[in-house]
Amino acid sequence: MTQTLPDVDHRHLDALEEEAIFILREVAGAFERPGLLFSSGKDSCVVLHLAEKAFKQKTSRPGERPTFSGRLPFPLVHVDTGHNFPEVIQFRDERIKEMGERLIVGHLEDSMKKGTIRLAHPLESRNGHQTVTLLETIEEHRFDCMIGGARRDEEKARAKERIFSHRDAFGQWQPKEQRPELWNLFNTRIKPGEHFRAFPISNWTELDVWLYIARENIPLPSIYYTHKREIYRRKGLLVPVTDVTPPSAEDTVETVDVRFRTVGDMTCTCPVESDAATTADIVAETLQVTVSERGATRMDDRTSEASMERRKKEGYF
């Protein structure tokens, strides 16, 4: 499989990287208090690497794990649902310590204590509720732009959204009121209380992301690569056995070689069967997939065709 990678034409990555760095610098120049959402997912790791390239001095040599000197002009922000995979949180903390950057964590548990979030039952998925915590974090720290790693190829609603996505005073996205983006000119004017979401890798695909990770040697949480995990099968998905997703009496628990294509809340994110142990292996797999990563692994996007758009209108990222 490792011989597949050199055969893929990835010269276009230079153009995508240049566009993303341009967008990041536009954010830094146009807004007073931006923040970079860092969930430790592969897309946010790519955006973080691009931000370091945009604002820091690279100190590593070609082929080495990338290291940079300097500081980013904005903090990193994570909305912690309390139901994250332990490997992801451990990776997040190690990366922050390694970089010496500032991390702001919005805890969903704090929103629950304040009464702004109420769960129907203890094991209810918290993924949809994190919108409340995100908006509270934005208000508390007065962020006027949040940078994230959403891509248009992930889901239909995200395909409709612009690179600079305007949000009203309630954090809501209005599809019919999006601003035109012609010739890389962005209208970033906002009224008090409003903010923007910016997506530097909006035009990238899942394959582009993995090609870039391989080329740049970007570190990722271990669960993106093959490992053995207990799962049970439900509605065509491999549901991981965790404290918040326990199997029922009718479910058969299996130990399978899996990896995660996307990382989110444990209650709604499923792995796929895979023996891909390297980025080159994953590139080879990605060349053959016919279902998007969210379509293949996310339970929350299967509730209805419009579930993502509805959540984005409510303030979801």
Side-chain angles (χ1 to χ4, degrees):
M1 277 190 180
T2 54
Q3 296 179 352
T4 305
L5 187 57
D7 297 333
V8 179
D9 184 358
H10 49 282
R11 291 174 294 179
H12 66 292
L13 293 179
D14 293 330
L16 290 173
E17 178 187 72
E18 181 180 353
E19 177 189 52
I21 289 176
F22 170 77
I23 293 167
L24 286 163
R25 289 172 175 167
E26 280 287 296
V27 170
F31 297 97
E32 293 183 5
R33 300 179 65 87
L36 192 158
L37 284 169
F38 182 62
S39 66
S40 297
K42 70 180 187 307
D43 298 314
S44 66
C45 286
V46 166
V47 174
L48 176 59
H49 178 79
L50 289 163
E52 291 193 291
K53 273 199 163 186
F55 302 109
K56 293 184 177 183
Q57 180 69 40
K58 190 172 184 180
T59 56
S60 57
R61 297 178 181 179
E64 296 179 344
R65 179 175 173 176
T67 57
F68 300 84
S69 62
R71 296 291 298 273
L72 295 176
F74 35 69
L76 306 183
V77 182
H78 182 215
V79 176
D80 187 350
T81 65
H83 286 171
N84 297 286
F85 289 96
E87 300 95 327
V88 175
I89 296 299
Q90 180 181 352
F91 176 86
R92 180 200 71 183
D93 294 340
E94 290 174 353
R95 284 292 287 139
I96 295 300
K97 182 179 179 180
E98 178 183 61
M99 294 185 297
E101 295 291 345
R102 179 188 175 200
L103 174 67
I104 295 172
V105 181
H107 293 280
L108 192 138
E109 295 278 356
D110 293 339
S111 300
M112 292 169 59
K113 290 177 182 177
K114 291 189 292 186
T116 52
I117 291 178
R118 296 182 180 179
L119 301 181
H121 56 85
L123 295 184
E124 178 186 358
S125 175
R126 299 181 179 186
N127 189 62
H129 293 290
Q130 64 182 305
T131 296
V132 174
T133 305
L134 172 61
L135 294 177
E136 289 177 346
T137 303
I138 290 173
E139 182 179 8
E140 178 183 354
H141 296 277
R142 298 187 291 115
F143 289 120
D144 51 7
C145 183
M146 300 301 295
I147 306 163
R151 308 187 323 270
R152 288 191 173 118
D153 76 322
E154 290 183 87
E155 204 275 337
K156 296 176 182 178
R158 286 182 168 168
K160 296 166 60 176
E161 197 164 15
R162 303 287 163 82
I163 293 175
F164 278 76
S165 176
H166 174 263
R167 301 300 175 106
D168 62 22
F170 299 98
Q172 297 175 329
W173 174 58
Q174 303 296 340
K176 295 182 179 180
E177 296 181 9
Q178 295 185 97
R179 300 176 181 181
E181 295 179 346
L182 306 174
W183 307 294
N184 285 335
L185 297 175
F186 304 107
N187 180 355
T188 58
R189 289 177 295 180
I190 55 174
K191 298 176 182 177
E194 299 178 341
H195 70 277
F196 268 88
R197 311 279 173 90
F199 308 110
I201 62 171
S202 183
N203 292 327
W204 297 41
T205 65
E206 183 182 8
L207 178 60
D208 294 331
V209 168
W210 280 110
L211 286 171
Y212 192 72
I213 289 169
R215 189 183 84 170
E216 300 290 312
N217 196 21
I218 299 173
L220 296 176
S222 60
I223 63 175
Y224 275 108
Y225 302 97
T226 187
H227 60 284
K228 292 189 180 297
R229 185 176 291 266
E230 288 190 335
I231 60 94
Y232 55 92
R233 302 175 189 271
R234 184 175 293 175
K235 297 181 180 179
L237 296 173
L238 310 183
V239 183
V241 177
T242 69
D243 292 340
V244 294
T245 55
S248 66
E250 293 77 23
D251 293 316
T252 301
V253 177
E254 309 171 52
T255 300
V256 181
D257 289 323
V258 300
R259 71 175 180 89
F260 286 83
R261 289 177 65 185
T262 182
V263 171
D265 195 290
M266 285 191 295
T267 57
C268 63
T269 308
C270 298
V272 296
E273 290 192 66
S274 173
D275 60 358
T278 67
T279 51
D281 295 340
I282 294 176
V283 167
E285 277 193 358
T286 306
L287 285 167
Q288 302 176 50
V289 298
T290 57
V291 181
S292 73
E293 60 209 273
R294 293 190 70 91
T297 65
R298 296 299 290 264
M299 290 182 278
D300 54 330
D301 290 342
R302 295 193 173 194
T303 54
S304 75
E305 287 290 322
S307 60
M308 174 62 80
E309 182 162 335
R310 174 182 55 78
R311 284 181 289 161
K312 289 179 77 68
K313 288 179 179 180
E314 295 171 352
Y316 188 74
F317 204 81

